[in-house]
Amino acid sequence: TGAVGGSATVRRITNEAGFDIGVRMSPEEAERLGIKPFGDGGADDMPSPRPKLYAYGPCASPIAQRHIIQCSHYRGMAPEDPGRIQLRDTIVEALRINGFVILEGLMDPEDVAPLEAEARHYLDQDHVGFVPQPLRANRQQLQLPFAVPWASDWLVRHDLILGCVAGYVQNDLAAGRTQDEQQWSLVEWLNTGAELDFFLKPECDPKPGRLLDAPPHGCSDVGHAHERGPWLGRVMVTKTPPHSPAQKHHRDINFPGPTAQLTVGVPLTQLVANNGPLGYVPGSHRMETPGYEVVANCPRGSVILYDSFVEHHGIENHTDRDRYAMYYEFETRGIFGGYTDEHFGDEAVRHTHEFRNHVDPELRKKVAAKRA
């Protein structure tokens, strides 16, 4: 326990795997005590920010444009076209090298455009059983309902995206292990060269036991104890309000390292350089530091895939408009994200399971095909 605000005492909770899952209190109590999300609100206060290289727009950089893969032709490919597999393998290799990739034109811009108004309307309403969550630097997120348009196959069961997930997510180290065990494995990973295939070693297989059978609070309970590989996590929509500051650079997860969770970002607002796009540090999922970040200010219809272990942050929104994006992630069992079902609400949990029941069978076919 510790003193907050000079008088009140709050209790920090550690789960069975040894992870600190934070302070339990209502938003009203946190405001009264002056406690901000992420400690200080999560806004960037670096005196010397990294140089930004933009992928699009008048300041587009050839270096940043290396992270773009043109995908609009995929929509016209026949299912048996070998070019589909070639494109999937190209994307997976880009993820392995850089930790993120921009898939330009993967979705029809005319299909995506109406979703911005849908997101605005959804976030402007109160929904019984759904609890909004604060993010760094004034952002907000809310679980999406399992309903059209959000549950459309072209959004959450996209064949190419699921193929990339099956080909990239391979780190099962968190399954059944404590924080200390994961930390020592990451030390070994770093000391042996930080190669992604380190996590394919037998020593990194799921560890049988109670933590595998029933992941503790704050750890992902996706999938089944006896099956390896990725499963759908949560499906969210986020809002970056006007004049929001940049976020601190961060990784969405720290344990168990790279290739354990892959996030899919679908920009719903047309992105420009300064309305809140995300900036990524290439290679940071392999602990490389190139000295710059790539701003993914991509056109509507594009999709961004990124390893949740890659260093990134939201750029400032200098405009007078909200910026909306849909995010969903695929992850292995047991990873610690810090969130519990209670954070999102009872109805949100039910809708999450409906999304998983819809997406996971198709994803697991691709996981099985890859292993075969």
Side-chain angles (χ1 to χ4, degrees):
T1 60
V4 177
S7 57
T9 299
V10 296
R11 182 177 298 277
R12 302 194 68 88
I13 302 172
T14 301
N15 72 13
E16 194 178 355
F19 288 101
D20 183 350
I21 58 175
V23 176
R24 289 281 181 86
M25 64 175 62
S26 69
E28 294 76 19
E29 181 71 0
E31 184 175 0
R32 186 182 72 79
L33 295 173
I35 297 176
K36 297 180 179 180
F38 305 96
D40 60 0
D44 189 10
D45 56 1
M46 289 178 61
S48 300
R50 285 189 180 93
K52 295 179 175 65
L53 303 183
Y54 295 90
Y56 297 87
C59 297
S61 160
I63 295 176
Q65 290 176 328
R66 296 174 190 167
H67 300 280
I68 301 169
I69 295 178
Q70 180 55 243
C71 294
S72 57
H73 61 293
Y74 187 86
R75 289 185 264 132
M77 284 182 170
E80 66 276 8
D81 191 327
R84 292 164 69 103
I85 295 176
Q86 293 170 6
L87 182 58
R88 178 203 66 195
D89 292 345
T90 298
I91 294 167
V92 170
E93 184 61 19
L95 282 168
R96 288 177 62 86
I97 294 170
N98 300 305
F100 76 99
V101 64
I102 301 167
L103 308 183
E104 181 177 326
L106 180 63
M107 296 176 176
D108 189 332
E110 293 186 3
D111 291 337
V112 177
L115 300 184
E116 181 178 19
E118 292 275 357
R120 181 183 301 112
H121 178 74
Y122 180 65
L123 284 169
D124 284 347
Q125 310 298 315
D126 290 328
H127 304 278
V128 175
F130 289 78
V131 181
Q133 291 298 311
L135 299 177
R136 294 173 175 85
N138 297 346
R139 277 75 168 171
Q140 182 189 51
Q141 72 174 0
L142 185 62
Q143 164 76 40
L144 282 165
F146 182 74
V148 174
W150 309 112
S152 301
D153 282 357
W154 63 268
L155 264 180
V156 294
R157 286 211 312 184
H158 195 288
D159 183 74
L160 182 59
I161 292 175
L162 295 186
C164 292
V165 171
Y168 182 76
V169 178
Q170 63 184 27
N171 181 349
D172 290 288
L173 180 66
R177 289 183 176 83
T178 65
Q179 179 180 356
D180 282 348
E181 290 173 317
Q182 293 177 51
Q183 184 166 309
W184 280 113
S185 292
L186 282 183
V187 169
E188 182 184 354
W189 171 67
L190 286 168
N191 286 337
T192 55
E195 296 291 335
L196 298 186
D197 286 344
F198 171 91
F199 300 102
L200 296 178
K201 296 166 55 176
E203 305 93 281
C204 298
D205 286 352
K207 180 181 177 181
R210 185 176 65 253
L211 298 182
L212 178 62
D213 295 337
H217 258 43
C219 296
S220 176
D221 63 352
V222 298
H224 307 289
H226 60 281
E227 295 187 60
R228 298 187 54 175
W231 307 79
L232 179 66
R234 302 186 188 275
V235 184
M236 315 294 293
V237 63
T238 68
K239 179 174 76 171
T240 302
H243 312 296
S244 293
Q247 294 178 321
K248 290 181 184 293
H249 284 82
H250 61 278
R251 304 173 193 266
D252 289 342
I253 62 170
N254 291 315
F255 299 99
T259 71
Q261 186 186 70
L262 186 69
T263 298
V264 181
V266 183
L268 307 181
T269 303
Q270 177 61 52
L271 294 175
V272 294
N274 64 341
N275 71 339
L278 268 61
Y280 303 90
V281 180
S284 54
H285 66 313
R286 295 182 290 108
M287 310 309 288
E288 293 187 353
T289 52
Y292 60 85
E293 64 183 357
V294 173
V295 179
N297 54 325
C298 48
R300 188 182 276 142
S302 302
V303 172
I304 304 148
L305 306 183
Y306 68 93
D307 190 315
S308 300
F309 190 66
V310 82
E311 191 174 336
H312 65 283
H313 73 147
I315 306 298
E316 302 91 338
N317 183 2
H318 287 149
T319 72
D320 294 323
R321 294 188 59 213
D322 294 317
R323 191 275 272 177
Y324 297 93
M326 177 183 182
Y327 291 98
Y328 52 101
E329 73 268 354
F330 295 92
E331 61 203 25
T332 53
R333 188 171 176 86
I335 66 168
F336 176 72
Y339 289 108
T340 66
D341 286 346
E342 290 87 350
H343 282 98
F344 299 99
D346 293 341
E347 277 299 292
V349 172
R350 183 175 70 81
H351 283 263
T352 292
H353 285 289
E354 290 193 38
F355 271 112
R356 292 175 182 174
N357 291 338
H358 181 62
V359 174
D360 280 340
E362 201 63 32
L363 171 62
R364 296 306 296 183
K365 290 178 187 176
K366 295 187 180 297
V367 172
K370 176 181 180 293
R371 299 202 169 169

